[in-house]
Amino acid sequence: MIDLKKNHLLMAAFFGLCFILLWPNASLAKQPESSYWYPEQLLNWTPEKDPNAVFNRSQIPLAKREVLYKVNDHAQSDAKVVALSALNPTTSGVPSQGGKDFYANTFSYWQYVDLMVYWAGSAGEGIIVPPSADVIDAAHKNGVPILGNVFFPPTVYGGKAEWVNQMLTQREDGTFPAADKLLEAANYYGFDGWFINQETEGGNVQTAEKMQEFLEYLQKHKPQDMQIMWYDSMTKDGRINWQNALTDKNSSFLQDGNKRVSDSMFLNFWWRDQQSSAAKAQELGRSPYDLFTGIDVEANGTNTTIPWQGIFPEGKAPLTSLGIYRPDWAFKTAETMEQFYQKENEFWVGKSGNPASTNENGRWKGMAHYFTAKTAVEELPFVTHFNTGSGKFFAVDGQTVSEQSWNNRSLQDLLPTWRWLKEGGQAVDVDFDWETSYYGGSSLKLSGAIDANNPTQIKLYKTNLPIQKDTEIALTYKTDLKKPNMKLGVSFTDNPDQFVFFDVKKQSHQQWMTDSFKLKKYSDKNIAAISLLVESDSGVKDFTTNIGEIKVNNKQEKHNKVQAPKQGKVSNTEFNKGIYADVALAWEPANSDVSHYEIYRTLPNHEKEFVGATPNHVYYLSNLRRNGKESSTDLEIVAVNKEFKRSEPAAVTFDWPSYPKPEADFRADQTVAAPGDKIQFFDTSSEVTEAVEWHFEGGTPSVSNEKNPVVTYEKEGVYPVTLIAKNSEGESILTKEAMITISAAAKDIKNVALNKMAIASGQCAPSEAAQYALDGNVKSKWCALGDAPHWLKVDLGGQYSIAKFVIHHAQAGGEPGAFNTQAFRIEVSTDGENWTEAVKVTDNSAAVSEHSITLTNARFVRLWTDKPTQGGDQAARIYEFEVYGFPTK
């Protein structure tokens, strides 16, 4: 989806989809990734042939949800919201079951979204992208359908007419194989349909007619609850011609006579008023709320100027629904989780931070002003730990069971409906806390001051929970107060504003404490809201209370035994360097009451370490490090039911190979230096190395046992360096002959490639040609599209003695690290015909990489990008290529 009037945003929109969850390079090739396809790959895809497919399945069905009542008089629920959001900022390299970084896009304002589109796809990675499993799980838990994306890019961004033609190919019997595959993928992975975005130029009337047939075929063969959304781009003549409204030129892609062609349409951004669109929809016999008027917030977020009256005329019903393009602005422009959640709150609720009071929010009133929050909290048991789906650690029942940071949106709780709806005293602050957790990585924190004369009620959840005779509600908390100073409130659907409060009495002493209350008195009612009341007989100036769990369940469920997983097994193991393992686990699903499964590792001291969790019945442990020289590792799979009660563990074990000998390797910060200059050496031997011994011929010191010694050489000359790496299994000796050159000429070393002539295998655009990798500006780049490898060839203009190369990869230019070049080679030549390899790297992840070499004569230098990114994107991005040397005498 492109705004051609906003050229400065185009790269960000289509080549800026980058992922921040980078895993150790040892396992990048092995860990399962979410799918992404070109048309030919889609046509050949089957779950049976795709080893990652089973890890990419959502196991959480789409929950039911309701509007019930509203807290904001201005809000309504006839018009809907669709969000086109880059929930993973790259198409490729997305881990199938969460990652190891705390900072991730754990979007949590599902209550205002009616439909989510998983925004992804690029010419360099793949154009057909189903949502990642953890995002499907989070959406479904909240009752929100989620669509995959079919994105045909403009030709200027690598789009190919052949991709459109491949997707629209029909068999002789009239079937569309690509449409069949789209439906098969959605059904297998468990998501809810597709967003079709055709922006590749070059089509004609026949292309448009075939596309309409394709959409009609999807309508005819899709399940009833699956949705197909069309984007206002191609018109009925086959041209790319955004209408920004429903018109005669694009209406045939929504409705053709009595044929429903698409379930909805996203209208482009350049509009002032949508009265004509609403009228056209009604003329076609369609609801105007099947139209989603687009707003583009990618660049400016809450500072985006929107003609709101053109959708929501004052005092009248909305003209259409609302389509939000890239609300992930909040994540993309934040630097911390706290900042991200604050921006999210401002975007969805407005500056007031109060969803019930939005009129005074200014131009950006927030989505809560226009749309009533919906709730999926309708079944018992209901349990929340205020777990946002990522953490700096992982806690179970208040105990830290892993110090590893993590993210997994499959584990995200149903979070509070209202953020934050405070009534009464406003001195109590409320927010998520990622430093304290009862389960997962976060909790709810109340802090600030308590006004003795004005208690604070915090309304948290809109619900529709049925109360039976044995239903209880429980609160788990810890506080620095002598007594809790809290009451737990519930209201009922016959009067949602009337609350009954239960006095929380148990003292915490800064330990997790649970207080529970019977609801038998209110049996046959339904809970409409859950709140907390903070009060004190005398004022409290400063306090902190963490809420770790709210649970509503039936008492008899406490006695239900959780079935342990059966047939647990290690289905596959791959070892790296003798101390890392990629381990695929599988088991039979337990009973339907299971929420998810926890995976634990048994340490040599018999303690249990949490290593992951999933709602699926398979899990992949990536890059599991060997504990010392253990010969085997014991793992446990534990079923957790919806009350968070656990089963007995299912034990599995795998064996390690023999402990390896070390492999010696090293580098230096410079290989050419003047007499007396300091040179630092770095031990880069394999991780199993226990001791090192260096030998520096002609250097001071001549022998060292330090890991990274500093050495000086007083006399000019060429010197070898030897490193001996040792461990209990043996030793490895590496000598690099003629590694160090000591010469007075070292003072003349400089970047001899600066502003020199260069050619390349390709370029993304004229402003990203080969010369921009040599201009000394790390804000400009050489970019190349197409299949790797790509090459950049530099003519230095004369013979030079080359000592070092420096490459500024994508992250150095401001792009995410997922686009840093992973595998590359550097070759040198004196004549431009005969080449010698000087550097070969297969596992880079750094933004800037330096490569010192033995002094080598060359006039030409060639950089090959063999694996241009950390994932599947094939586009090369080099922001600067520096070659350090001095003229050869």
Side-chain angles (χ1 to χ4, degrees):
M1 183 172 299
I2 290 184
D3 181 341
L4 292 178
K5 296 180 180 178
K6 301 180 180 178
N7 291 325
H8 64 289
L9 298 179
L10 294 178
M11 274 299 175
F14 297 103
F15 295 112
L17 289 173
C18 310
F19 200 69
I20 64 170
L21 296 180
L22 299 184
W23 292 53
N25 284 307
S27 64
L28 272 171
K30 298 183 178 72
Q31 66 157 338
E33 293 183 357
S34 294
S35 299
Y36 49 96
W37 303 297
Y38 295 104
E40 184 176 357
Q41 294 170 324
L42 173 69
L43 291 167
N44 292 320
W45 175 84
T46 65
E48 295 77 19
K49 292 190 297 186
D50 182 353
N52 291 345
V54 68
F55 297 98
N56 291 325
R57 302 187 79 177
S58 170
Q59 301 297 320
I60 297 179
L62 181 64
K64 295 180 181 179
R65 67 177 195 167
E66 295 182 82
V67 176
L68 299 176
Y69 57 93
K70 60 183 180 180
V71 298
N72 188 316
D73 291 338
H74 193 278
Q76 54 77 52
S77 56
D78 293 325
K80 310 299 182 185
V81 175
V82 66
L84 278 57
S85 188
L87 294 161
N88 289 307
T90 53
T91 294
S92 60
V94 175
S96 295
Q97 297 179 312
K100 295 183 179 178
D101 282 349
F102 162 56
Y103 188 59
N105 188 351
T106 52
F107 172 75
S108 65
Y109 283 85
W110 300 99
Q111 65 270 35
Y112 298 111
V113 176
D114 296 281
L115 184 64
M116 176 65 74
V117 173
Y118 182 84
W119 188 253
S122 73
E125 298 166 286
I127 65 168
I128 305 155
V129 192
S132 61
D134 63 332
V135 170
I136 304 172
D137 287 341
H140 280 189
K141 197 178 295 186
N142 285 275
V144 177
I146 184 166
L147 309 184
N149 196 20
V150 180
F151 170 46
F152 299 102
T155 53
V156 69
Y157 293 108
K160 297 179 181 180
E162 67 183 88
W163 290 339
V164 179
N165 295 333
Q166 285 175 316
M167 289 294 286
L168 299 182
T169 299
Q170 271 181 294
R171 300 183 183 99
E172 289 185 2
D173 63 3
T175 60
F176 287 88
D180 290 337
K181 283 296 180 182
L182 289 178
L183 298 178
E184 180 186 358
N187 178 65
Y188 180 82
Y189 286 146
F191 60 96
D192 307 290
W194 291 95
F195 182 92
I196 312 294
N197 180 8
Q198 200 311 76
E199 296 188 81
T200 303
E201 302 88 345
N204 53 29
V205 171
Q206 289 72 33
T207 310
E209 290 175 348
K210 191 65 70 175
M211 180 63 77
Q212 184 177 332
E213 287 184 57
F214 182 85
L215 295 171
E216 290 173 356
Y217 183 89
L218 285 171
Q219 281 294 320
K220 182 177 179 179
H221 293 87
K222 70 180 180 65
Q224 184 175 357
D225 56 354
M226 189 174 285
Q227 301 188 46
I228 304 297
M229 177 175 273
W230 173 258
Y231 171 51
D232 156 36
S233 49
M234 188 171 73
T235 48
K236 64 182 181 181
D237 58 5
R239 295 173 58 217
I240 304 305
N241 185 11
W242 298 273
Q243 298 298 292
N244 312 292
L246 184 65
T247 71
D248 289 335
K249 291 185 177 181
N250 63 14
S251 62
S252 58
F253 296 108
L254 179 71
Q255 187 78 21
D256 184 18
N258 60 3
K259 287 185 180 179
R260 186 181 181 92
V261 182
S262 296
D263 297 293
S264 56
M265 182 184 289
F266 189 105
L267 303 178
N268 196 50
F269 315 120
W270 314 325
W271 51 272
R272 296 298 302 175
D273 186 288
Q274 287 294 2
Q275 291 188 52
S276 64
S277 294
K280 185 65 178 177
Q282 291 168 342
E283 176 189 323
L284 295 171
R286 293 293 295 269
S287 167
Y289 302 129
D290 290 344
L291 303 177
F292 291 81
T293 298
I295 62 172
D296 179 357
V297 299
E298 180 185 16
N300 297 314
T302 55
N303 289 321
T304 307
T305 300
I306 307 293
W308 292 108
Q309 287 288 322
I311 312 175
F312 302 104
E314 192 67 35
K316 299 179 182 179
L319 294 171
T320 68
S321 292
L322 178 68
I324 308 175
Y325 177 64
R326 303 298 299 274
D328 53 288
W329 156 87
F331 178 75
K332 194 174 62 172
T333 58
E335 296 180 356
T336 66
M337 193 63 82
E338 290 80 6
Q339 190 179 59
F340 167 38
Y341 270 58
Q342 177 56 42
K343 288 190 172 201
E344 285 269 83
N345 187 257
E346 184 177 336
F347 187 95
W348 294 95
V349 178
K351 287 186 176 180
S352 68
N354 182 345
S357 178
T358 54
N359 277 322
E360 305 306 318
N361 278 338
R363 287 192 311 170
W364 189 274
K365 296 190 182 304
M367 298 304 113
H369 182 75
Y370 305 101
F371 302 96
T372 303
K374 299 175 177 66
T375 180
V377 185
E378 297 195 316
E379 292 184 356
L380 296 179
F382 166 62
V383 180
T384 178
H385 300 103
F386 305 95
N387 179 22
T388 61
S390 74
K392 301 174 184 178
F393 57 92
F394 201 97
V396 173
D397 294 340
Q399 301 298 314
T400 298
V401 293
S402 172
E403 298 285 355
Q404 169 69 53
S405 59
W406 63 279
N407 69 78
N408 188 344
R409 287 162 291 197
S410 293
L411 305 182
Q412 185 184 71
D413 284 335
L414 290 171
L415 296 174
T417 312
W418 303 296
R419 280 172 252 168
W420 301 99
L421 184 47
K422 295 189 294 183
E423 296 179 352
Q426 297 296 304
V428 175
D429 297 320
V430 54
D431 215 335
F432 297 107
D433 184 356
W434 291 278
E435 304 299 329
T436 302
S437 175
Y438 185 71
Y439 186 89
S442 52
S443 62
L444 188 71
K445 183 169 76 172
L446 312 179
S447 60
I450 305 174
D451 186 341
N453 299 315
N454 196 6
T456 303
Q457 182 176 199
I458 304 159
K459 294 181 178 178
L460 295 173
Y461 285 96
K462 178 193 289 190
T463 72
N464 190 12
L465 293 171
I467 302 174
Q468 300 173 14
K469 290 182 178 180
D470 62 342
T471 303
E472 296 182 346
I473 186 168
L475 182 73
T476 300
Y477 56 95
K478 70 176 180 179
T479 181
D480 57 8
L481 295 170
K482 291 182 179 180
K483 58 181 182 178
N485 291 107
M486 276 190 304
K487 291 181 179 178
L488 181 58
V490 296
S491 68
F492 306 105
T493 52
D494 55 1
N495 191 352
D497 294 325
Q498 181 74 38
F499 280 81
V500 173
F501 293 100
F502 301 94
D503 199 359
V504 181
K505 294 181 178 180
K506 293 184 179 179
Q507 294 187 358
S508 163
H509 306 293
Q510 279 287 42
Q511 303 295 317
W512 290 111
M513 181 62 61
T514 299
D515 212 348
S516 60
F517 309 94
K518 295 179 180 179
L519 299 177
K520 181 178 180 180
K521 180 180 178 181
Y522 308 99
S523 59
D524 298 327
K525 287 180 175 288
N526 281 37
I527 299 175
I530 300 173
S531 73
L532 292 170
L533 183 68
V534 183
E535 62 179 1
S536 176
D537 294 336
S538 57
V540 176
K541 291 184 178 180
D542 188 23
F543 81 102
T544 299
T545 296
N546 285 88
I547 311 300
E549 180 184 81
I550 293 177
K551 178 186 291 188
V552 187
N553 69 323
N554 294 325
K555 188 176 181 180
Q556 66 179 22
E557 293 173 350
K558 294 181 179 180
H559 306 295
N560 294 341
K561 188 174 182 180
V562 185
Q563 178 186 337
K566 296 179 180 179
Q567 304 297 319
K569 63 180 181 179
V570 175
S571 59
N572 188 42
T573 54
E574 294 187 40
F575 299 102
N576 183 19
K577 300 179 181 178
I579 58 169
Y580 289 99
D582 293 321
V583 183
L585 299 177
W587 57 91
E588 285 186 5
N591 58 42
S592 60
D593 190 42
V594 169
S595 166
H596 59 277
Y597 301 88
E598 297 169 345
I599 318 297
Y600 292 88
R601 176 184 189 173
T602 303
L603 300 176
N605 62 3
H606 304 295
E607 290 183 1
K608 310 292 185 186
E609 179 185 46
F610 174 86
V611 291
T614 179
N616 208 336
H617 60 273
V618 293
Y619 193 74
Y620 199 90
L621 295 171
S622 177
N623 227 34
L624 188 71
R625 198 183 195 286
R626 194 171 189 166
N627 198 306
K629 299 178 182 179
E630 64 182 347
S631 59
S632 63
T633 293
D634 295 327
L635 300 168
E636 293 182 349
I637 307 162
V638 178
V640 183
N641 74 1
K642 293 177 182 177
E643 285 191 343
F644 282 75
K645 184 178 179 181
R646 290 170 181 77
S647 73
E648 292 297 318
V652 294
T653 300
F654 70 91
D655 296 324
W656 291 91
S658 300
Y659 198 73
K661 296 179 182 180
E663 296 178 9
D665 200 4
F666 61 93
R667 64 180 178 85
D669 64 350
Q670 54 184 330
T671 57
V672 179
D677 283 355
K678 293 180 179 179
I679 301 175
Q680 184 161 22
F681 292 85
F682 299 92
D683 168 31
T684 58
S685 303
S686 58
E687 289 183 54
V688 297
T689 302
E690 296 170 358
V692 294
E693 182 180 315
W694 297 86
H695 293 267
F696 304 105
E697 181 182 316
T700 302
S702 60
V703 178
S704 176
N705 297 113
E706 293 183 15
K707 183 172 178 60
N708 301 316
V710 175
V711 181
T712 59
Y713 295 82
E714 299 301 328
K715 295 182 179 180
E716 291 190 331
V718 179
Y719 301 97
V721 177
T722 297
L723 175 64
I724 305 172
K726 308 174 184 179
N727 74 2
S728 60
E729 309 303 308
E731 64 180 32
S732 170
I733 303 174
L734 176 63
T735 298
K736 294 186 180 182
E737 302 289 350
M739 181 184 184
I740 301 299
T741 299
I742 303 300
S743 170
K747 67 180 186 301
D748 298 323
I749 287 180
K750 62 180 182 179
N751 177 14
V752 298
L754 184 64
N755 293 320
K756 294 296 172 65
M757 296 293 294
I759 58 174
S761 56
Q763 62 189 41
C764 296
S767 60
E768 295 173 334
Q771 69 198 65
Y772 294 102
L774 308 172
D775 62 357
N777 180 6
V778 293
K779 297 300 182 183
S780 63
K781 68 180 175 183
W782 164 59
C783 171
L785 286 173
D787 293 336
H790 307 287
W791 55 263
L792 173 72
K793 179 180 174 183
V794 184
D795 182 354
L796 301 176
Q799 296 291 332
Y800 287 88
S801 295
I802 307 302
K804 183 171 73 170
F805 305 96
V806 178
I807 307 175
H808 296 256
H809 304 277
Q811 194 174 13
E815 298 187 57
F819 285 169
N820 289 339
T821 320
Q822 183 174 324
F824 53 90
R825 292 167 286 141
I826 302 173
E827 298 175 331
V828 295
S829 173
T830 57
D831 58 9
E833 298 291 335
N834 301 291
W835 297 88
T836 301
E837 187 174 276
V839 173
K840 184 175 182 178
V841 175
T842 60
D843 61 352
N844 175 66
S845 60
V848 179
S849 60
E850 298 189 12
H851 313 277
S852 294
I853 63 170
T854 299
L855 201 63
T856 302
N857 290 338
R859 171 173 173 167
F860 300 93
V861 178
R862 185 163 61 188
L863 169 65
W864 290 90
T865 61
D866 296 315
K867 193 171 188 304
T869 65
Q870 306 293 307
D873 194 315
Q874 295 290 297
R877 299 166 177 82
I878 302 297
Y879 278 81
E880 199 68 18
F881 181 42
E882 300 171 354
V883 180
Y884 286 87
F886 52 84
T888 301
K889 295 180 179 178

